[in-house]
Amino acid sequence: MEIKILGPGCANCNKMEKIVNKVVSQLGIQAEISHVKDIKEIFKYTQVIPGLLINGKLKHSGFPIPSEDRIRNMLIEELNSK
């Protein structure tokens, strides 16, 4: 699974990255997690940050950032869609 946090490195972007790492660890899944900070790259997916991309699909953008439970559900949904 490929997960990208979209944001320039603001507090909310960093918080979402920590939540994603925690949930991935709890679920015990294999995931490549990256934090995209380049504005041109971010704007390919959304103009509202922070954003969350899972396997190339925009799952969230803007405020408030998703809760741990919501991120867990997004990841499980993506795992089950295969």
Side-chain angles (χ1 to χ4, degrees):
M1 179 177 293
E2 181 183 41
I3 303 169
K4 293 183 180 183
I5 290 79
L6 307 173
C10 64
N12 284 310
C13 301
N14 293 335
K15 182 178 179 183
M16 187 161 58
E17 183 177 14
K18 286 179 185 175
I19 294 170
V20 166
N21 279 303
K22 180 179 179 181
V23 172
V24 165
S25 177
Q26 288 173 344
L27 291 173
I29 59 176
Q30 294 283 27
E32 180 183 325
I33 303 168
S34 60
H35 191 146
V36 178
K37 296 180 180 180
D38 179 54
I39 295 298
K40 289 180 184 177
E41 185 69 20
I42 292 168
F43 278 8
K44 290 179 183 179
Y45 304 102
T46 184
Q47 293 184 5
V48 182
I49 54 170
L52 179 62
L53 214 63
I54 301 174
N55 290 337
K57 300 173 202 153
L58 184 65
K59 296 291 189 172
H60 176 84
S61 64
F63 297 102
I65 63 171
S67 67
E68 213 174 288
D69 286 337
R70 180 69 188 117
I71 291 174
R72 183 176 293 105
N73 289 337
M74 288 180 210
L75 295 175
I76 290 170
E77 286 172 15
E78 187 61 28
L79 285 170
N80 291 333
S81 72
K82 294 190 177 212

